[in-house]
Amino acid sequence: MSIRFAALGLDHRHIYGMSQGMIDAGCDFAGFWTDGNPQPIAGFIKRFPNVPRAADLDTILNDKSIDLVLIAAPPAERARLSLAAMQHGKDVMLDKPGCLTLDELSQIEATIEQTGRIWSVNFSERFEVPATTLADQLLGEGRIGKLVHVLSQGPHRLNAQTRPDWFWEPSEYGGLLGDIGTHQIDQFLHFARADTCEVTRATVGNMATPDHPAFQDFGEMNLSAGDVQGYVRLDWFTPDAAPNWGDGRLILTGTEGFIEVRKYMDIAGQPGTDHVFLVNGTTCERIGASRAGTPYFANLVYDIEHRTETSCPQHRTVTVMRLAIEAQAIAHKLGGLSGNI
């Protein structure tokens, strides 16, 4: 019997990839509920025209045939919806950030413990990128020796005209490090094979968005886990000529070589996405990684069926969110920003 899932909140376009990933993993899309008509709903209906809309939230929560809910509601609503779903016996996959405060995270941890449900944040910059799957395989094969450093860049295109009001307020979306920074913290912990890390430096700033003075369009973090160090840069400065929303890059430096992942574009190089460059003592090559796969979704199905943690350990998801919230709280303010989220 296949897993049935529903979507709660269509306020971020990430719901497209989350939904398609579960369909591709063999699941049945039972329905969706969203508050009002957020901007992504038109694209959602175009992609999934036969998925019915529930009249209210309780219709989905009380449907015992639904095993999993996907949540892409405004970030300030995600913890509340997660708690309700788990208390109704459903597993949860969310868009990042999964929650905004340490108090919300504590409630989520307690509910996971009480209900035994899965709470999985879809860190799509790793889970939905075949190139990161290949990089992980190469690292595991020892192709660059012992890992010593992870450099992660997460540039994004602003698309200001399409953004809802909550997008501009750090208290409503978690701040740059608390939001997008979750991707980079997840990748650092995963590739460093670490349970946790220390945020040794963090900054956020508003460098070029004067119409929204509280908004954070630039941020940095330094991370440390034993002998492995990391640097993260995030921004909203992707220029218009770029073929997509950002030149996401990941560089894994080891004692015997390095792996560079160009996730979404290879500037002035090969077309398309998922480029992996491997350089070591005997190899200097580019590898097309588009067929490396994205096992997260199939693994999540397995976890739902067998109550395992193959898609992402539960403690990892919680730790990433805790570190991102803490990084945001300690961030030094640049560019005239003041106050905390």
Side-chain angles (χ1 to χ4, degrees):
M1 183 175 179
S2 64
I3 298 295
R4 300 185 80 235
F5 74 95
L8 302 181
L10 306 183
D11 294 83
H12 198 296
R13 290 168 57 88
H14 284 162
I15 194 62
Y16 305 159
M18 294 162 64
S19 300
Q20 191 61 54
M22 297 312 300
I23 292 172
D24 292 344
C27 301
D28 294 330
F29 204 162
F32 76 93
W33 169 85
T34 194
D35 188 10
N37 292 291
Q39 190 272 339
I41 196 169
F44 178 88
I45 292 172
K46 182 177 180 179
R47 289 167 174 80
F48 311 107
N50 299 319
V51 178
R53 181 171 186 170
D56 52 51
L57 175 61
D58 286 343
T59 298
I60 289 177
L61 292 179
N62 292 325
D63 187 339
K64 296 186 183 301
S65 74
I66 294 174
D67 308 285
L68 170 73
V69 296
L70 314 184
I71 298 176
E77 298 296 317
R78 292 175 190 172
R80 176 182 67 84
L81 292 172
S82 292
L83 295 170
M86 288 189 286
Q87 290 161 356
H88 280 79
K90 303 186 189 311
D91 294 317
V92 176
M93 183 221 291
L94 307 94
D95 187 15
K96 57 77 203 157
C99 60
L100 299 184
T101 69
L102 293 177
D103 180 62
E104 288 179 344
L105 187 60
S106 293
Q107 294 179 57
I108 288 165
E109 285 189 274
T111 304
I112 293 169
E113 181 67 25
Q114 292 165 4
T115 65
R117 308 320 301 175
I118 297 168
W119 188 75
S120 182
V121 176
N122 177 14
F123 301 121
S124 56
E125 289 192 27
R126 179 165 67 91
F127 295 161
E128 296 188 24
V129 178
T132 61
T133 302
L134 179 58
D136 194 28
Q137 294 171 357
L138 295 173
L139 180 66
E141 293 169 2
R143 303 287 289 276
I144 61 169
K146 179 183 177 183
L147 184 68
V148 296
H149 192 271
V150 178
L151 186 155
S152 184
Q153 299 179 176
H156 284 63
R157 177 174 278 127
L158 192 58
N159 289 329
Q161 69 279 4
T162 69
R163 301 297 182 176
D165 291 343
W166 56 259
F167 174 83
W168 305 105
E169 298 297 329
S171 61
E172 296 295 316
Y173 73 87
L176 184 57
L177 304 183
D179 177 26
I180 298 176
T182 58
H183 289 303
Q184 279 65 38
I185 294 172
D186 163 71
Q187 289 172 99
F188 178 78
L189 293 180
H190 177 78
F191 289 112
R193 312 305 193 227
D195 290 330
T196 190
C197 68
E198 179 184 359
V199 180
T200 59
R201 174 178 172 271
T203 63
V204 292
N206 184 322
M207 306 303 193
T209 318
D211 291 344
H212 301 280
F215 184 66
Q216 298 162 6
D217 59 21
F218 178 83
E220 298 175 296
M221 285 186 285
N222 287 91
L223 307 174
S224 178
D227 293 336
V228 183
Q229 306 302 303
Y231 170 76
V232 170
R233 179 183 62 75
L234 307 168
D235 67 65
W236 286 96
F237 301 147
T238 295
D240 289 343
N244 52 39
W245 55 266
D247 182 20
R249 297 196 185 193
L250 175 72
I251 299 178
L252 308 177
T253 300
T255 55
E256 299 175 18
F258 68 87
I259 298 166
E260 179 173 354
V261 178
R262 300 184 185 180
K263 299 179 181 180
Y264 312 115
M265 67 176 91
D266 178 18
I267 295 174
Q270 297 293 320
T273 63
D274 294 293
H275 310 274
V276 174
F277 299 85
L278 172 64
V279 182
N280 58 26
T282 59
T283 299
C284 181
E285 65 176 331
R286 172 198 169 274
I287 309 171
S290 60
R291 297 183 180 180
T294 53
Y296 167 75
F297 296 100
N299 287 345
L300 182 59
V301 170
Y302 184 89
D303 292 340
I304 292 169
E305 293 175 336
H306 300 278
R307 314 316 298 171
T308 50
E309 298 185 2
T310 63
S311 55
C312 186
Q314 186 66 83
H315 73 83
R316 166 74 57 69
T317 303
V318 171
T319 298
V320 168
M321 283 310 313
R322 179 177 292 111
L323 288 168
I325 293 168
E326 292 174 351
Q328 185 67 51
I330 68 172
H332 175 66
K333 305 300 191 297
L334 303 170
L337 286 175
S338 62
N340 297 314
I341 67 168

